[in-house]
Amino acid sequence: MPFRARTALAAALVLGLTGAATAPALAHTSAVTAPAEHDAPDRKALRDAIKGLPNADATAALVRVGGTDGTWRGSAGVHDLVTERKADPHGRFRAGSITKIVTAAVALQLAAEGELDLDKPVQHYMPDLFPEGKQDGGKEFSPIPVRSLLNYTSGLRPGDGFDDEYAHRYDTLKPQTVVASAIAKGPEHDPGAEQHYRNIGYTVLGLLIERVTGDSYAHQASQRIFRPLHLRDTYFPGSDPRIRGPHNRGYQSMERPDGTTRLVDVTEWNQTDRFAAGDLISSTADLEVFTQALFGGDVVPQPQLKEMFTLPELAPGVPKAVFGAGLQRMEVDGKVVWLKTGARYGYTNMIASTENGTRTLVYSVNATDAKGKDMNAIAERIALAAFVPAEDEHVG
């Protein structure tokens, strides 16, 4: 059981994620009593999960476990590797692909208002985006339902970006340019036939929201979600490479020519090209409020909220879908958990909840391998501690 739980959890979470360390800082934690002790968060496991930071895997970690079964808050590590002062538990960070859940929520609100039809093709709303005739890939685009953008089944190929992202971290790459490059490649498959986790569908969704509302995507998200929920740490930076307000520095392990590695400060980064797929800056406190409100039906009306918990039927013979409209489904120890991970250089994050809200999790880890192919070790320990019962942790 422990091995299967670990393997399933790590494998599932990796789907959503596409050096020298100083002396460890003590973990700073607090807990609130839960209604029933056997259902309460495992405080020891959570403390142990973030103990000993900074280390080779991460420089800091911020964690909030909530829900009707009880709450736990914890932080560990350092604000930066120069001063080595304690990590700010209220620090803001780059939320990465958690942005997609905000985008999905705005789109589903528009659907509830009758401004957006999920069954209508994107071409109906933005015909200028799709040139007539065959594209570079040798195929023409079939009508792409808006729903296919939401559940990663559109068939759009990834758009072009910078070859060396770090070298161009202060440059602006407009989302329109990214989308144009993706469409020029032609479709990879018919809409709805396969599911591939990519940014491009949500980049298009951001442009679609702007077309339908006649307003900027960032302003729509602010007016519809951030302000009503009083999310004071959450915003879109646009071309500003800085993180405004309190935040912990992000570092990335990079290889030197001689094969050794060094930690590079990657806190400042222009994320314009990520747009509605990954440009969000937030805090664990704000994301916990958002997660609990979303699963509680206070962000998206219930009929449209079901889209997030509905896995599409794909073509015969292809791998089964694991994503609904933005959210990923995962089963851990017999419990169904819906989640979204997000990572940008220096930061790896997650929001998660059981569908009934008994357990929620929000974390941000200042990972030194945030864009690596494997799940960060600290992030994995946090997720296991939050969702796998303590008795399952004993081997043998």
Side-chain angles (χ1 to χ4, degrees), residues 69-394:
D69 282 346
T71 61
W72 185 89
R73 309 284 182 260
S75 66
V78 296
H79 168 271
D80 64 88
L81 294 178
V82 177
T83 68
E84 300 183 21
R85 72 176 190 265
K86 293 178 181 179
D88 186 341
H90 306 293
R92 298 172 180 178
F93 50 85
R94 300 193 187 282
S97 287
I98 290 174
T99 309
K100 293 180 176 69
I101 305 305
V102 173
T103 305
V106 173
L108 291 172
Q109 284 184 7
L110 289 169
E113 296 163 10
E115 297 296 323
L116 197 59
D117 188 334
L118 302 186
D119 294 315
K120 280 189 175 179
V122 181
Q123 292 93 325
H124 168 80
Y125 296 100
M126 297 189 292
D128 51 304
L129 212 59
F130 294 84
E132 293 183 5
K134 296 181 179 180
Q135 307 304 306
D136 293 346
K139 296 181 180 180
E140 292 188 44
F141 279 100
S142 300
I144 301 173
V146 173
R147 182 177 282 105
S148 290
L149 298 176
L150 284 162
N151 62 25
Y152 309 100
T153 63
S154 68
L156 289 169
R157 299 177 188 271
D160 294 334
F162 296 120
D163 290 334
D164 186 341
E165 292 187 0
Y166 180 71
H168 292 275
R169 65 192 182 280
Y170 292 109
D171 295 348
T172 295
L173 181 59
K174 293 183 178 180
Q176 292 87 346
T177 303
V178 176
V179 170
S181 69
I183 291 174
K185 298 175 184 177
E188 182 178 20
H189 56 77
D190 290 334
E194 302 176 24
Q195 185 174 73
H196 297 289
Y197 179 79
R198 288 171 181 158
N199 286 330
I200 189 63
Y202 276 77
T203 306
V204 175
L205 272 171
L207 297 177
L208 177 58
I209 289 168
E210 294 189 336
R211 181 67 61 90
V212 169
T213 63
D215 190 14
S216 72
Y217 163 75
H219 188 253
Q220 282 291 305
S222 177
Q223 291 294 103
R224 291 173 172 273
I225 297 176
F226 306 161
R227 290 190 180 183
L229 295 180
H230 306 289
L231 307 184
R232 295 181 173 84
D233 297 321
T234 306
Y235 72 99
F236 290 101
S239 60
D240 186 350
R242 301 166 300 171
I243 298 177
R244 301 197 302 265
H247 60 277
N248 301 310
R249 307 296 294 184
Y251 297 88
Q252 174 67 30
S253 178
M254 293 190 178
E255 189 174 341
R256 297 187 179 98
D258 63 1
T260 60
T261 59
R262 64 191 178 108
L263 286 182
V264 177
D265 190 323
V266 291
T267 309
E268 294 188 358
W269 203 300
N270 183 340
Q271 305 282 332
T272 312
D273 61 314
R274 301 298 158 174
F275 188 45
D279 192 27
L280 189 72
I281 287 175
S282 191
S283 66
T284 54
D286 272 11
L287 288 182
E288 183 176 60
V289 170
F290 172 65
T291 301
Q292 293 178 349
L294 178 69
F295 281 79
D298 297 326
V299 176
V300 176
Q302 287 293 344
Q304 286 70 36
L305 184 60
K306 291 179 182 178
E307 294 282 342
M308 289 191 166
F309 306 123
T310 302
L311 303 184
E313 292 288 337
L314 307 178
V318 303
K320 291 184 178 180
V322 295
F323 287 94
L327 288 172
Q328 179 182 351
R329 184 185 188 276
M330 179 178 66
E331 191 166 334
V332 181
D333 198 56
K335 298 188 294 290
V336 173
V337 177
W338 293 89
L339 62 97
K340 185 70 196 75
T341 55
R344 296 307 303 147
Y345 289 105
Y347 306 89
T348 185
N349 323 288
M350 186 172 79
I351 63 172
S353 179
T354 53
E355 196 166 338
N356 61 5
T358 56
R359 174 66 46 82
T360 64
L361 169 67
V362 177
Y363 69 67
S364 179
V365 174
N366 291 76
T368 59
D369 61 346
K371 300 300 288 182
K373 64 178 182 179
D374 297 319
M375 187 178 182
N376 176 269
I378 306 304
E380 183 178 359
R381 292 210 304 256
I382 294 167
L384 280 167
F387 287 111
V388 179
E391 57 267 24
D392 287 348
E393 290 294 290
H394 299 292

